[in-house]
Amino acid sequence: MTKKRPVILLNPGPVTISDRVRESLQREDMCHREPDFAALMLDVKKRLAAIYEGGSEHFETLVMTGSGTCAVEAMISSLLPADGKLLVISNGVYGERIASMVKTHGKQMVLVKSPWPEPMNLAEAERLLKEDPSITHVSAIHNETTTGRLNDLDALGALCVTYNKPMLLDAVSSFGGERIELEKWNVAALASTANKCIHGIPGLNFVLVRKDLLEQGKSAAATLYLDLFAYYQKQKEGFSPFTQATHVAVALQEALKEFEEAGGWKARNERYRELSVRIRAELDAMGIRRFLKEDEYSSMLSSFHLPEGYSYEELHDELRKENFIIYAGQGGLFHSIFRIANMGDLLDADIDRLLAVFRRLMDSRK
Ligand SMILES: *Cc1c(COP(=O)(O)O)cnc(C)c1O
């Protein structure tokens, strides 16, 4: 439980951390080449793999220093072969970011792009899977943070199974907070980060990769730093090729213990759902309209049309005065929407206060 309420982060990561995680940082320093750090890393890897069914059995966790994008880029770079072709399914900033990565690494892809407010274009994806036998892998974004849409991975996963294509999944903003079906979706690897639904501090990210791929496959990475196969070799023993964010690893271990004690991803999903449904319902009652339909949202992120009379900057600054950080729309959506994430160590009282501030702001412009 968090005692005093400082700034409350309602941006989609980094998140408000608990006192328990914050206090875990008050310990002696560690060297990443010493056995105590290696033991910590092995423990963190094991806990991360155990969150979803089938994870411990079939997947290896590789932990790297960097933000979520680092995990996604390491996954794409290491696992998409030079002679492979990725079907990139995009309906937001993060899908388009994967397409840029494939281009940057000089690999082949075909992009199925929907407008950001729309669902993934699965009809087009299926047409391509049927007609283009050179496609070897499929990539998708689970929770598209651009809008807060939880993409329909049951449907896409079924296509991956039917056409026998391994899925490379960006689960950066969903891992630990949403249902993930490793087997049913044909997941070969997924990428995420310490500082979103897991409630750690920023600085470490991780990729879960199927063990058979790491054991039998060979690295396709055209980069030294982001080569997951090099991490795999070293991290079998808990060590890493390069300096790790040691303090961040301590906080991550504590956050994982807290996560497990609280009931794992299902409990976190229920708690997030309760908060986000309440935020959307109450803002709606004040006349602040949702950007997507209610049943399209993930549990931890909501997007809204800017209320009449407010620019994003004005809304942000008013909330900032009350110690709340909200988030702008990205790209073309900057002038039309704002976002509220509800990850992190949030209390009901924080949401009560947030809604009271919104009520006051809306009343003052009537
Ligand atoms: C946050 C996020 C990322 C990574 O962003 P970083 O700023 O690099 O941590 C990637 N994909 C999605 C869907 C995200 O929400």
Side-chain angles (χ1 to χ4, degrees), residues 12-13 66-70 72 94 97 141-146 170-174 193 195-196:
S67 78
T69 304
C70 169
V72 180
Y94 297 95
R97 188 174 290 175
I141 313 298
H142 190 196
N143 174 26
E144 182 44 88
T145 311
T146 313
D170 173 339
V172 178
S173 58
S174 59
T193 186
N195 60 288
K196 293 200 185 188

Side-chain angles (χ1 to χ4, degrees), residues 41 44-45 48 61-64 204-206 231 235 244:
M41 192 48 90
V44 162
K45 278 160 50 94
L48 286 168
T61 317
L62 304 168
V63 181
M64 307 176 74
L204 285 175
N205 63 75
F206 52 92
Y231 273 80
Q235 278 190 354
Q244 287 281 25

Side-chain angles (χ1 to χ4, degrees), residues 112-133:
V112 175
K113 196 165 150 179
S114 311
W116 293 357
E118 304 283 320
M120 302 187 291
N121 187 343
L122 293 180
E124 179 64 4
E126 178 154 30
R127 188 187 69 76
L128 287 161
L129 286 168
K130 237 183 229 158
E131 290 175 10
D132 185 350

Side-chain angles (χ1 to χ4, degrees), residues 5-300:
R5 301 311 279 167
V7 161
I8 302 292
L9 301 177
L10 301 174
N11 49 286
V15 302
T16 305
I17 58 168
S18 67
D19 284 348
R20 175 173 168 179
V21 170
R22 199 182 310 282
E23 282 156 14
S24 74
L25 295 166
Q26 300 297 332
R27 53 159 291 160
E28 63 184 4
D29 299 329
M30 287 180 121
C31 169
H32 70 296
R33 303 240 181 263
E34 290 293 316
D36 56 346
F37 183 74
L40 166 68
M41 192 48 90
L42 289 175
D43 181 69
V44 162
K45 278 160 50 94
K46 201 166 108 197
R47 289 176 194 271
L48 286 168
I51 291 176
Y52 291 99
E53 208 182 305
S56 303
E57 218 178 321
H58 300 298
F59 286 78
E60 183 75 26
T61 317
L62 304 168
V63 181
M64 307 176 74
T65 290
S67 78
T69 304
C70 169
V72 180
E73 191 158 13
M75 172 174 79
I76 299 293
S77 149
S78 303
L79 301 177
L80 179 67
D83 59 356
K85 190 196 245 186
L86 185 63
L87 177 64
V88 179
I89 305 182
S90 167
N91 55 347
V93 168
Y94 297 95
E96 291 175 20
R97 188 174 290 175
I98 289 186
S100 309
M101 288 172 185
V102 179
K103 264 187 222 150
T104 302
H105 291 264
K107 293 183 183 175
Q108 301 300 307
M109 67 164 169
V110 40
L111 175 61
V112 175
K113 196 165 150 179
S114 311
W116 293 357
E118 304 283 320
M120 302 187 291
N121 187 343
L122 293 180
E124 179 64 4
E126 178 154 30
R127 188 187 69 76
L128 287 161
L129 286 168
K130 237 183 229 158
E131 290 175 10
D132 185 350
S134 65
I135 291 170
T136 56
H137 295 69
V138 174
S139 75
I141 313 298
H142 190 196
N143 174 26
E144 182 44 88
T145 311
T146 313
T147 54
R149 178 186 295 277
L150 190 67
N151 277 320
D152 184 357
L153 286 197
D154 286 326
L156 180 64
L159 288 180
C160 290
V161 170
T162 302
Y163 293 92
N164 193 23
K165 305 296 173 195
M167 186 194 289
L168 304 178
L169 183 62
D170 173 339
V172 178
S173 58
S174 59
F175 188 92
E178 291 289 346
R179 177 174 60 89
I180 293 177
E181 305 277 357
L182 296 169
E183 293 300 313
K184 258 178 35 203
W185 298 349
N186 217 29
V187 174
L190 67 76
S192 190
T193 186
N195 60 288
K196 293 200 185 188
C197 304
I198 299 295
H199 299 183
I201 64 173
L204 285 175
N205 63 75
F206 52 92
V207 187
L208 262 61
V209 186
R210 283 197 68 97
K211 287 179 186 170
D212 49 7
L213 272 178
L214 289 165
E215 275 152 26
Q216 295 148 24
K218 78 180 206 320
S219 179
T223 134
L224 185 81
Y225 195 86
L226 300 178
D227 183 357
L228 290 177
F229 286 77
Y231 273 80
Y232 174 55
Q233 290 308 328
K234 289 268 187 189
Q235 278 190 354
K236 281 179 184 170
E237 312 294 331
F239 295 101
S240 302
F242 313 104
T243 305
Q244 287 281 25
T246 49
H247 297 78
V248 182
V250 170
L252 176 55
Q253 185 187 43
E254 200 61 37
L256 284 164
K257 288 180 186 170
E258 193 175 57
F259 173 85
E260 290 160 15
E261 286 165 26
W265 76 264
K266 283 183 189 153
R268 190 146 288 177
N269 177 259
E270 274 167 33
R271 172 67 180 155
Y272 283 169
R273 217 9 106 194
E274 179 187 322
L275 295 178
S276 61
V277 164
R278 178 174 173 214
I279 292 167
R280 288 193 295 269
E282 298 208 18
L283 290 192
D284 187 65
M286 296 174 211
I288 302 175
R289 289 179 302 126
R290 294 174 183 86
F291 184 63
L292 301 179
K293 294 192 199 76
E294 177 62 22
D295 63 2
E296 293 176 324
Y297 283 109
S298 62
S299 61
M300 74 296 279

